[in-house]
Amino acid sequence: MAIVSRYTVALHILTWIALATGGKDEFVSSDRIANSVNTSPVFIRRILGKLNKGRLVKVQHGGTGAGWKLARQPKDITFLDVYEAVVDTPLFELHHSTPNDNCAIGKGIQPALSAFYSDTEKAMKQQLAKTTIADLLQESVTQSGWELQDLMTRLAGNKK
Amino acid sequence: MAIVSRYTVALHILTWIALATGGKDEFVSSDRIANSVNTSPVFIRRILGKLNKGRLVKVQHGGTGAGWKLARQPKDITFLDVYEAVVDTPLFELHHSTPNDNCAIGKGIQPALSAFYSDTEKAMKQQLAKTTIADLLQESVTQSGWELQDLMTRLAGNKK
DNA sequence: ATCCAGTGTAATTGTTGCAGTTACATTGAT
DNA sequence: ATCAATGTAACTGCAACAATTACACTGGAT
């Protein structure tokens, strides 16, 4: 475990909204999303807050139709967009205790590593940029083994 | 913070051994390494244990000259080798609580994500394979701003 | 055979960050 | 005014990491 599960949940949230709202212009509640992810609505809302700051979703406060929707098309939201919105620590940790300054390695290794680590993080992000929420939606439905027909029926039922 | 600091320390250890032993065929103790990293010898030995299992270092028990040395040339140890030896968790976490199976997304997202995550981890590892301990040694010494002359003098002094 | 400088490892502790829960103030369509 | 929703703070539980202590084990040097 390295990159926080919150990132996985963020992808789940966006994909679920994409499926649930289809093309329609409506908002869905954190409660319904939490039901699919199987966790607490508060955790979901904390993540949605970050996604909102990243301009990936829009929020509607108050009233009966309150909730969330995507700010763009699923095909226009990449895994990298989600990463930037939700993960806020560098990929690699440096030392916890600062190395011995009287040693050439101890003195020079942190700036040296920072450069190498930065290259690696960049390579990872380039890969993340290649996949979108639309891809994940497609692949998830395929993997679920559901028929599109059943899916639509069940969605209608869930809408409360 | 995502990838454990133990990985950074592992790179530090190998680079320090490379510098300290130069071309010479000798073993260095975890105590001396711990002094450069500025942490406890036990922590260092736990990491060296993993590096030993990964065939990156060799250990000499007992006697006066006991300690560690590299199992190969610094230029033949890549960042990826070290990663495989020291990091034992996947790069991305999945959900903590298992998603709702009655939802197409909940049911299909984990296998779908596993595939995408695997691609990303692979991209990161390809980048890691491009850098070696020799590169890090070179760059660390450069960054330290030390003259090679002083370095040699000081090394001789440290040797006890 | 003994010494002793080193490794190997288990047990314990302090700290940190994440996730989960409860509680309550706030928002704003209807 | 209602009330279905969000926003957020406070607290708890838990797991992983790093740091420390303690002690058994190893094996070259003498």
Side-chain angles (χ1 to χ4, degrees), chain B:
Chain B
M1 318 177 196
I3 290 171
V4 284
S5 83
R6 180 195 332 144
Y7 178 61
T8 288
V9 174
L11 292 172
H12 188 145
I13 290 172
L14 293 169
T15 307
W16 189 89
I17 298 179
L19 176 67
T21 63
K24 300 178 293 275
D25 187 35
E26 61 179 17
F27 293 87
V28 293
S29 73
S30 58
D31 253 59
R32 290 181 63 202
I33 303 174
N35 180 55
S36 168
V37 179
N38 189 25
T39 185
S40 93
V42 176
F43 184 39
I44 298 293
R45 265 179 275 156
R46 273 203 284 251
I47 296 173
L48 279 163
K50 286 171 182 283
L51 294 174
N52 188 38
K53 284 201 187 101
R55 306 287 172 202
L56 301 182
V57 299
K58 285 179 177 162
V59 61
Q60 172 76 261
H61 291 124
T64 335
W68 310 81
K69 68 176 175 186
L70 299 186
R72 324 180 202 150
Q73 294 294 313
K75 72 171 174 52
D76 295 325
I77 302 178
T78 70
F79 278 31
L80 178 56
D81 294 328
V82 182
Y83 189 90
E84 308 273 28
V86 154
V87 178
D88 33 46
T89 54
L91 182 56
F92 292 90
E93 280 189 75
L94 291 180
H95 308 68
H96 284 194
S97 51
T98 61
N100 185 345
D101 205 53
N102 292 326
C103 160
I105 302 299
K107 185 166 188 181
I109 197 171
Q110 290 205 338
L113 271 181
S114 295
F116 290 123
Y117 282 171
S118 164
D119 290 344
T120 306
E121 192 165 331
K122 198 171 298 174
M124 186 201 66
K125 288 182 174 178
Q126 280 172 3
Q127 180 65 36
L128 288 180
K130 291 181 184 167
T131 310
T132 72
I133 295 298
D135 298 328
L136 180 55
L137 173 55
Q138 162 83 51
E139 186 62 18
S140 295
V141 172
T142 302
Q143 288 284 346
S144 79
W146 285 27
E147 298 297 329
L148 194 57
Q149 189 60 43
D150 299 346
L151 199 55
M152 288 316 188
T153 309
R154 199 176 283 249
L155 266 180
N158 278 351
K159 218 186 295 176
K160 253 201 302 226

Side-chain angles (χ1 to χ4, degrees), chain A residues 8-22:
Chain A
T8 288
V9 174
L11 291 173
H12 188 143
I13 290 172
L14 293 168
T15 307
W16 190 89
I17 299 180
L19 176 66
T21 62

Side-chain angles (χ1 to χ4, degrees), chain A residues 12-139:
Chain A
H12 188 143
I13 290 172
L14 293 168
T15 307
W16 190 89
I17 299 180
L19 176 66
T21 62
K24 300 178 292 275
D25 188 35
E26 61 181 16
F27 294 87
V28 293
S29 74
S30 58
D31 254 60
R32 290 181 64 199
I33 304 175
N35 179 56
S36 168
V37 178
N38 188 26
T39 185
S40 91
V42 175
F43 183 39
I44 298 294
R45 266 180 272 157
R46 274 202 285 249
I47 296 174
L48 279 164
K50 286 172 182 283
L51 293 174
N52 187 38
K53 283 201 187 101
R55 305 288 172 200
L56 301 182
V57 298
K58 283 179 178 163
V59 59
Q60 173 75 262
H61 292 122
T64 334
W68 311 81
K69 67 176 176 186
L70 300 184
R72 323 179 203 151
Q73 294 292 315
K75 73 171 174 52
D76 295 325
I77 303 178
T78 71
F79 277 31
L80 177 56
D81 294 328
V82 182
Y83 189 90
E84 308 272 29
V86 153
V87 178
D88 33 47
T89 55
L91 183 55
F92 292 91
E93 279 189 76
L94 291 180
H95 308 66
H96 283 192
S97 50
T98 62
N100 185 345
D101 206 52
N102 292 326
C103 162
I105 303 299
K107 185 166 188 182
I109 198 172
Q110 289 205 338
L113 271 181
S114 295
F116 291 122
Y117 283 171
S118 164
D119 290 343
T120 306
E121 191 165 331
K122 199 170 298 174
M124 186 200 68
K125 288 183 175 178
Q126 279 172 2
Q127 180 65 35
L128 287 181
K130 291 180 184 167
T131 310
T132 70
I133 295 298
D135 298 327
L136 180 56
L137 173 56
Q138 163 83 50
E139 187 62 17

